[in-house]
């Protein structure tokens, strides 16, 4: 019986090899030239640069426009090496007007903000270097507006300014009482800097 089994083994091995070869042939031929499989497997998940350029987006908003540059109401540059760029002057619901922008050291060297920016009041001097000395002038209404104070007497403006390295810039804000609704522009006056007229929004 063992001889009979040995005689049948080569036929069994041959059948297995033929089946494997047929399976390999079907696999190789069934996909055609392989491009269909690549399309089915790859295109659903991969976008080429050409696809993105054609669709006009990498995002869902239909474009990849660069963020808009902030609005500039005024650029104020003094002889002390500092420059203020005012970006907004917005009326708030509580009857306030908030001035906001950036102050930058454009002198090319390290320097401290002038003490005159602090204002003259004793209370604001305890906050350190600040912008409490900024005022707004309504020329039509013949009124000057000072930076508001909180209940403890501290100014509602950027405080704690330290020395500016060359090129350093700092965002700033200052809050004032809002001029009347029919006042659409005011002059910004910063100690040691020229005044500039800005529009209120």
């Amino acid at each position: 019986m063992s001889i009979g089994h040995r005689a049948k083994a080569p036929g069994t091995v041959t059948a297995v090899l033929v089946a494997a070869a047929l399976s390999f042939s079907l696999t190789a031929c069934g996909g055609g030239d392989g491009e269909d499989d690549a399309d089915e497997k790859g295109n659903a998940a991969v976008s080429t640069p050409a696809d993105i350029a054609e669709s006009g987006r990498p995002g869902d908003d239909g474009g990849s426009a660069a963020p808009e540059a902030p609005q500039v109401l005024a650029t104020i540059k003094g002889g002390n090496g500092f420059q203020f760029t005012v970006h907004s002057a917005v009326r708030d619901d509580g009857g306030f007007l908030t001035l906001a922008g950036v102050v930058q050291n454009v002198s090319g060297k390290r320097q401290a903000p002038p003490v005159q920016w602090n204002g003259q009041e004793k209370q604001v001097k305890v906050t350190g270097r600040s912008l409490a000395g900024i005022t707004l002038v309504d020329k039509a209404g013949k009124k000057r507006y000072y930076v508001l104070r909180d209940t403890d007497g501290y100014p509602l403006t950027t405080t704690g300014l330290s020395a500016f390295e060359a090129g350093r810039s700092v965002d700033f804000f200052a809050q004032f009482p809002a001029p009347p609704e029919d006042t659409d522009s005011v002059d910004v006056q910063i100690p040691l800097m020229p005044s500039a007229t800005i529009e209120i929004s």
Side-chain angles (χ1 to χ4, degrees):
M1 291 183 65
S2 61
I3 295 173
H5 282 295
R6 288 174 186 169
K8 292 179 182 179
T12 304
V13 171
T14 301
V16 171
L17 291 175
V18 170
L22 287 173
S23 175
F24 176 79
S25 297
L26 290 173
T27 302
C29 296
D33 57 5
E35 292 178 0
D36 294 338
D37 288 344
D39 288 342
E40 290 176 5
K41 295 177 182 178
N43 287 350
V46 178
S47 296
T48 66
D51 295 332
I52 293 173
E54 184 177 350
S55 65
R57 57 180 165 82
D60 293 332
D61 57 359
S64 56
E68 293 183 5
Q71 180 182 19
V72 175
L73 299 181
T75 300
I76 308 168
K77 185 175 181 179
N80 55 5
F82 284 99
Q83 175 177 288
F84 282 79
T85 304
V86 181
H87 292 308
S88 64
V90 181
R91 296 180 189 274
D92 298 329
D93 293 338
F96 310 125
L97 185 147
T98 301
L99 191 73
V102 174
V103 55
Q104 183 177 16
N105 174 9
V106 295
S107 70
K109 61 182 180 180
R110 185 176 188 270
Q111 60 178 0
V115 294
Q116 289 87 344
W117 290 359
N118 299 352
Q120 301 300 316
E121 299 173 48
K122 291 181 179 179
Q123 184 63 39
V124 299
K125 291 180 179 179
V126 301
T127 65
R129 299 293 174 90
S130 74
L131 299 176
I134 297 178
T135 59
L136 300 181
V137 176
D138 174 7
K139 290 188 291 188
K142 297 181 180 180
K143 290 184 179 180
R144 181 182 297 272
Y145 297 91
Y146 294 86
V147 172
L148 289 167
R149 310 308 195 235
D150 65 15
T151 54
D152 294 322
Y154 294 100
L156 299 180
T157 185
T158 302
T159 60
L161 294 174
S162 59
F164 284 60
E165 298 296 336
R168 180 192 174 207
S169 61
V170 173
D171 293 337
F172 78 87
F173 84 96
Q175 197 168 57
F176 304 85
E181 290 292 335
D182 59 355
T183 300
D184 56 8
S185 66
V186 290
D187 285 358
V188 179
Q189 296 188 344
I190 304 168
L192 306 180
M193 311 285 284
S195 64
T197 303
I198 60 169
E199 299 294 324
I200 299 174
S201 58

